[in-house]
Amino acid sequence: MKSLKYNLFVLAVLALAITPSFANSITIFGTGQGLGSGGVLDPNYQLIGGGPLGTLPPQLFTTPPFFGWIPASPGTQWINPFGNTMNAPAGVYDYQTTFNLTGLNPLTAVLTGDFAADNDAMIFLNGSFTTLKTMDRDGIPGNGFEQLTPFTISCPLGTCGTVGFLPGINHLDFMVTNLLEGGNETPTGLEVEISGTASATTPEPSSLLLMGTGVLGLAGVVRRKLVG
């Protein structure tokens, strides 16, 4: 009887081994996630291209919210290249973060969250525009900092642009536009809360066949013991 119970246990384990897994978490971070406020370096985001003037270093820092900015999502913070709300040159700032899909099926990857930016932002996945951008309150352009804009990036839904998710390292860029107000420079920043899931990479057919054969063989042994 003990042998029969053991065989049944092994059969259950093997069955689970050949069952595809779902909803594996993607390791990806929101802006300022888990960091202190006010001038703390964010290791998960970089400024690409040196900003509008091409002279800024790649570091990005947590920054206190400027007057009129929506409060950050729980656990995240606003970031910018200065760590404060000093006025910044007008132009486009490329905030980039990366995530790794090694061992995960890129066709099943989904990223969800919300974001805000001063003045506005668009999301690019691996260099391709996802069609996602911050909403402007009351339809007034340049007010992407007054509310959090929810987003979902999912290839099956057609929101991955022309490239989509890739095996291995992926790049997610938030292209933040900073505008002049009355001809004067204004503060700039980005706030992102984000998480993601993807299913595990499907095992090789040969591996599935081998495990399946083992399960069928063990099932036969168990059946003979039950009949006996």
Side-chain angles (χ1 to χ4, degrees):
M1 180 60 69
K2 289 184 178 180
S3 177
L4 177 58
K5 289 181 178 179
Y6 174 78
N7 288 336
L8 286 172
F9 172 76
V10 173
L11 178 60
V13 170
L14 286 174
L16 289 174
I18 64 173
T19 302
S21 58
F22 300 96
N24 294 272
S25 295
I26 296 173
T27 301
I28 189 168
F29 296 90
T31 54
Q33 184 171 333
L35 303 177
S37 60
V40 177
L41 177 68
D42 189 332
N44 301 306
Y45 283 78
Q46 282 196 318
L47 179 67
I48 304 300
L53 302 181
T55 59
L56 294 173
Q59 291 85 4
L60 292 164
F61 305 90
T62 60
T63 182
F66 183 64
F67 176 78
W69 289 1
I70 189 76
S73 295
T76 65
Q77 298 181 70
W78 283 84
I79 62 172
N80 69 14
F82 313 106
N84 55 52
T85 53
M86 64 181 286
N87 291 337
V92 178
Y93 295 75
D94 182 354
Y95 293 68
Q96 184 181 90
T97 189
T98 61
F99 57 97
N100 195 338
L101 293 182
T102 298
L104 300 175
N105 183 350
L107 294 178
T108 66
V110 178
L111 298 176
T112 59
D114 52 54
F115 69 131
D118 189 348
N119 289 93
D120 293 297
M122 299 184 295
I123 302 178
F124 286 73
L125 175 64
N126 295 316
S128 181
F129 183 37
T130 63
T131 74
L132 297 165
K133 56 184 180 180
T134 49
M135 294 184 298
D136 292 316
R137 185 176 180 181
D138 300 325
I140 302 174
N143 288 342
F145 52 86
E146 294 185 334
Q147 63 284 307
L148 294 169
T149 300
F151 66 85
T152 298
I153 306 174
S154 172
C155 287
L157 297 179
T159 58
C160 286
T162 58
V163 177
F165 291 99
L166 301 173
I169 300 297
N170 287 251
H171 298 87
L172 195 65
D173 293 77
F174 295 84
M175 307 296 288
V176 176
T177 299
N178 191 40
L179 302 174
L180 297 176
E181 184 175 337
N184 299 314
E185 293 182 348
T186 59
T188 189
L190 174 70
E191 147 64 15
V192 178
E193 181 276 323
I194 190 169
S195 61
T197 60
S199 64
T201 303
T202 304
E204 294 292 331
S206 58
S207 300
L208 286 174
L209 178 61
L210 180 61
M211 288 188 292
T213 301
V215 170
L216 289 175
L218 184 56
V221 171
V222 173
R223 181 177 181 277
R224 287 194 295 273
K225 288 182 175 293
L226 289 174
V227 172

